[in-house]
Amino acid sequence: MGSEALQSLPGWSHVSAGKVWDMFVPVVADLYTGGESMLMVASDRISVCDRLIPTAVPGKGALVAALTRWWFDQIAQTFPVHLTTGEIPPQLAERSVLVQQLWMFPVECTVHGYMSQQLRHSAAVLGAELNLGRPAAEIPIGEKLAKPCFIPAVKGKPGAPDLDLTEKQFTELVGKDAAVELRNASVQLYQLAHQISYRRGLVLVNAKLEFGTPTDPGESNITLADEAFTPDTASFWRVEDLEAGNPEHYDKRYLQEWIQECTTEWNPACRVLPFELPPAVVTEIQSRYRTVYEMLTGEPGESFAAENWESEDREK
């Protein structure tokens, strides 16, 4: 399904597009509950280091959308989420999430529970600010941290990685009270998702979360937004691999590591990888994403259609 067909979706107005998700609002808002609603539609696009990869991953959009809905169902019992109810266009039902529109906080909240290369990179920038107890270089990859490490960030320039914030910068950006609430909420949700994942044989290494508050006057509850705890926004290892001392990523970090190891052609200043991914790499990404879905939900991942629609290069 092409982007032109999506943007002319009857009853819906296309308002924005990211590297992976396209956003729509209903033409008649009164048909939907939960305040102003928005339809999030997941494409099969994939990005790494905030750069779009030109090769789509068939079936990925439907899987990520289904896993997002599954996680919101788990979390809604203990924390507000922006999932809402209403009719979704049947042709997009597999790859869509209907949500409540929110006033979004201008930060991404990442929580690390284990030492990883990603955390070492952040530690090189923030240093003692992270309070890991000892230098990051002395903590082996795969070791569980004494306590979850919270790192807020903001979007960098187009095509550039996110910029990690110090506690002072974070507080100045969102305010003292909101900074405390966002930190507490992020750690609480990470710990909940870690418990759920671990019982199903997966280690939740880290997770990026986004939050907002309802647009309705008088409502100020911090609410989990966007997608959460999917292989696009979180890192997973299998418990058995970690215990064997050989953790491998079952998320898009696999693709990032493949790019870094197998090519020098990707100029950091370029927003898009200058070549297509080999079919074997696409197949491996599909397999690893399906593994996460199946281990978490207990449902077969093969049920996702390999429908593939792409749109122009977009930036979230």
Side-chain angles (χ1 to χ4, degrees):
M1 183 176 295
S3 60
E4 291 183 1
L6 279 175
Q7 292 180 25
S8 62
L9 190 65
W12 295 86
S13 176
H14 185 268
V15 292
S16 66
K19 293 182 291 294
V20 174
W21 294 85
D22 283 77
M23 311 296 182
F24 301 81
V25 295
V27 174
V28 183
D30 291 345
L31 296 177
Y32 295 85
T33 60
E36 296 184 3
S37 298
M38 175 178 287
L39 187 67
M40 297 171 49
V41 182
S43 74
D44 290 335
R45 302 187 295 266
I46 190 168
S47 67
V48 172
C49 296
D50 285 300
R51 295 171 179 84
L52 188 67
I53 304 300
T55 311
V57 181
K60 171 182 168 291
L63 186 150
V64 168
L67 197 52
T68 296
R69 295 191 298 265
W70 184 85
W71 272 115
F72 282 158
D73 286 342
Q74 314 304 308
I75 293 167
Q77 303 170 34
T78 58
F79 194 89
V81 300
H82 72 156
L83 190 70
T84 189
T85 58
E87 185 177 351
I88 295 177
Q91 67 269 40
L92 296 178
E94 282 191 346
R95 58 178 65 240
S96 297
V97 183
L98 188 65
V99 301
Q100 178 186 7
Q101 290 191 54
L102 302 173
W103 295 111
M104 298 297 294
F105 288 98
V107 291
E108 296 177 341
C109 300
T110 298
V111 182
H112 297 261
Y114 294 77
M115 179 51 64
S116 64
Q117 291 292 352
Q118 185 179 350
L119 180 54
R120 280 190 176 170
H121 175 77
S122 293
V125 176
L126 298 174
E129 174 84 18
L130 297 185
N131 192 25
L132 297 174
R134 64 188 198 271
E138 297 180 6
I139 304 176
I141 298 296
E143 181 172 310
K144 187 175 183 179
L145 304 177
K147 60 180 181 179
C149 176
F150 172 78
I151 304 178
V154 294
K155 287 287 187 184
K157 294 181 180 179
D162 296 343
L163 302 175
D164 293 337
L165 301 175
T166 65
E167 182 66 27
K168 182 175 183 293
Q169 291 170 329
F170 177 47
T171 301
E172 289 176 346
L173 181 62
V174 302
K176 183 176 180 180
D177 292 341
V180 172
E181 289 187 73
L182 289 172
R183 173 186 291 271
N184 291 342
S186 299
V187 172
Q188 172 193 340
L189 288 170
Y190 169 82
Q191 291 174 324
L192 172 63
H194 179 272
Q195 292 172 358
I196 292 172
S197 301
Y198 202 87
R199 290 197 299 265
R200 291 162 169 79
L202 287 171
V203 175
L204 180 60
V205 184
N206 57 58
K208 181 183 73 175
L209 305 172
E210 297 189 43
F211 298 90
T213 57
T215 58
D216 295 340
E219 292 190 36
S220 59
N221 289 337
I222 288 182
T223 301
L224 181 63
D226 201 61
E227 61 178 296
F229 308 116
T230 72
D232 269 2
T233 60
S235 288
F236 294 93
W237 298 326
R238 294 193 305 180
V239 171
E240 61 183 280
D241 293 339
L242 179 59
E243 291 176 344
N246 185 34
E248 293 187 25
H249 283 285
Y250 281 75
D251 53 82
K252 73 176 183 179
R253 289 287 299 181
Y254 157 78
L255 177 57
Q256 180 175 337
E257 291 177 354
W258 179 86
I259 292 172
Q260 292 170 339
E261 292 174 3
C262 298
T263 181
T264 58
E265 296 181 45
W266 194 8
N267 184 332
C270 181
R271 289 181 52 207
V272 181
L273 194 70
F275 57 86
E276 296 285 338
L277 296 177
V281 173
V282 174
T283 298
E284 186 64 25
I285 296 168
Q286 292 172 314
S287 174
R288 294 189 182 222
Y289 274 53
R290 282 198 301 267
T291 295
V292 171
Y293 178 84
E294 291 170 353
M295 292 181 71
L296 286 174
T297 68
E299 299 292 332
E302 289 80 4
S303 61
F304 295 102
E307 175 194 5
N308 178 17
W309 63 270
E310 303 177 38
S311 61
E312 301 84 2
D313 295 350
R314 300 181 185 276
E315 180 177 354
K316 193 170 180 178

